[in-house]
Amino acid sequence: MFQPKKLLVLLLALLMVLTAFTACNNDRGNEDESTTPNPDSGTSTDNKGTTDSGSDTSDETDEIPSAIAGVKFNGEVLKVLSWKASNITEYEEEITESSSVVEQAVFNRCDYTESLLNIKTTWNLIAGTSASPEFIDTADRQNSNGGENDVIVSVSSFAHSLTTRGVLSNLRKYEYFGGFAHPAWPESLINDITVGNKLYFATGDISTNLIFMTSVVFFNKDLVKDLDITKKVQEYWGAADLYELVTSGKWTLDKMIKLCEETYHDNNNDGIKNKGDRFGLTTYRTLIDNFYYGGGYTTISVDGDSFSVNPAFLDAEIVGGILEQVNAFLHESKDGFYQTGNNSHSDVATEFAAGNVLFSLAPASHAYNRHSNTEDLSYSVLPVPKHSESQERYTCTQSFPYSMYCIASQAKNAKIASAFLEGLAEESYETTRPALFDKMMKGRYAEDPEDAEMWEYAVDANVFDVGRVFCEAFGKDRTEQLTVTLFRDRVSEDNENWSAVLSSYAMPLATYAAGLAGEIMALPD
């Protein structure tokens, strides 16, 4: 079923396309003129901010109420420490006539939120990828030195270190987040990461890089036609096409593998299954986690104020069955191709762009960087398939890096920072999300509702797993990352013996999970 959220974003996308190259100021009528402080309102905020608690001034037709409606401050300046995102910027200081639609949307979301709340922000962007761990030390030092920053925007892989070193504040205590009820915040972030009502970072639409790194299944529209895929979908499962297979909840791993049968062709006539041939599906090491996550599983579960290893991850029959199916598909048949080597991520994008692949399990970034710039390539996306039609929703994990938005534990303007992050997330839902989709769809987002709906399904499938977000806590050192590497290694080695994995690692994983929960629960509220 086409969800109201998806319809709203499609309408917003149309507005975005029509106004993308207007003046830099994001004019939203009189919203930025609102609410002088009312001493009789009976409701106030810290830092002399005010909240209009009288009659509801929002449009009664709005289906998504804002958690910061009517909130105004007094021109305070928030200081933001942010990593220099290596993929898509999280902040634009200014825009020009040559700025892309995405860059304009990134600029406008911050500009509008500042105007809405009557605040200013100053951003300090420094190196902060996994190759630059000094970001952690800088954030820690500046936080300890009298709270130099209010907001910290970190690469996702630093979430563990920044949290356990006490650099971050518990976001659940700030009312301006509205309980993270706005759809800009993924439900899984709250349900699967919060432990003992503690959550020290947030992501979702607020992170341009999260959409960028979402795992999706690209499909080549020309090959769908040439290989009679739509006819097969109709004959096998009674759906009109791939789109209906998804919307009806029937898009599963079994079906994807079935559609890949007999797609192989030895394009280079060398008698060997290799690059350049035609395949049903290609992918590479860091994406194969999705064959596990697609079943709706995580590696670590939250149990109140503790963590435990997810029962599915400890089930040799479940994981062994997944491995058996995936390994047979990728290694033993010619229908799937597992790309290896240092350039495997680029090879997967190249082969799909060349028209050699029906399905490509890859990050959405491949559309942004490669596919949208390939003139003769006609493509769309599907979500990572379920394992069973009975699953409530499609689920996937994401590639690194994306961004985590945080409030420093010693922030001088913490409550204002929480209002800013909520506002930035809400505005990102309306601006950067459709702008990114439009870029990845070659400018067709507002005019191609079926493909737009598939992008919505794909991105909304994101789930967040303690074992992945805090992967550095699961090993003898920060590089072992057992919750990430164990499944990948078994696929890479074409080995479905999960019982052997459990005999060696079940107890250590449980110990690491308990230790991590203890560290987090010991942090101040």
Side-chain angles (χ1 to χ4, degrees), residues 172-288:
R172 296 305 300 270
K173 68 183 180 182
Y174 298 107
E175 62 179 325
Y176 288 137
F177 284 116
F180 293 93
H182 194 280
W185 304 114
E187 289 185 19
S188 176
L189 181 74
I190 308 306
N191 297 335
D192 301 326
I193 299 295
T194 300
V195 57
N197 203 38
K198 292 186 175 185
L199 178 68
Y200 292 88
F201 43 79
T203 191
D205 288 338
I206 194 172
S207 170
T208 54
N209 283 275
L210 179 66
I211 293 177
F212 192 81
M213 302 309 291
T214 295
S215 302
V216 303
V217 176
F218 291 99
F219 69 91
N220 183 307
K221 291 186 174 183
D222 290 330
L223 286 180
V224 165
K225 181 178 179 181
D226 295 344
L227 298 171
D228 289 327
I229 297 301
T230 299
K231 182 179 179 181
K232 293 178 181 178
V233 169
Q234 294 169 347
E235 291 180 352
Y236 296 161
W237 306 295
D241 49 29
L242 287 170
Y243 300 112
E244 186 175 306
L245 206 57
V246 170
T247 59
S248 64
K250 297 179 179 180
W251 172 239
T252 62
L253 180 58
D254 287 343
K255 293 182 178 65
M256 185 178 73
I257 292 175
K258 178 70 174 176
L259 291 174
C260 290
E261 290 180 357
E262 300 180 359
T263 57
Y264 175 77
H265 186 267
D266 187 8
N267 286 342
N268 51 25
N269 295 313
D270 62 359
I272 302 172
K273 173 185 172 181
N274 56 16
K275 281 191 302 185
D277 292 345
R278 188 180 71 192
F279 293 99
L281 178 138
T282 61
T283 191
Y284 56 101
R285 178 176 171 86
T286 56
L287 270 294
I288 57 177

Side-chain angles (χ1 to χ4, degrees), residues 29-91:
N30 296 322
E31 288 183 358
D32 61 351
E33 299 175 3
S34 75
T35 71
T36 55
N38 177 7
D40 298 323
S41 67
T43 302
S44 63
T45 68
D46 74 324
N47 299 85
K48 300 181 180 179
T50 62
T51 304
D52 183 357
S53 63
S55 61
D56 185 1
T57 59
S58 63
D59 188 337
E60 291 183 358
T61 64
D62 286 347
E63 296 184 21
I64 307 174
S66 170
I68 54 170
V71 175
K72 277 285 189 185
F73 299 102
N74 295 319
E76 292 87 348
V77 178
L78 295 181
K79 294 183 177 180
V80 182
L81 175 67
S82 176
W83 71 297
K84 288 182 181 178
S86 56
N87 297 315
I88 304 180
T89 180
E90 299 278 345
Y91 172 72

Side-chain angles (χ1 to χ4, degrees), residues 103-138:
E103 290 167 339
Q104 291 184 50
V106 170
F107 173 87
N108 286 342
R109 68 174 188 165
C110 187
D111 183 64
Y112 171 70
T113 304
E114 288 179 351
S115 176
L116 179 72
L117 297 173
N118 189 31
I119 62 172
K120 293 293 183 183
T121 61
T122 61
W123 291 62
N124 178 20
L125 277 66
I126 64 174
T129 65
S130 57
S132 307
E134 58 269 19
F135 180 96
I136 299 170
D137 294 330
T138 299

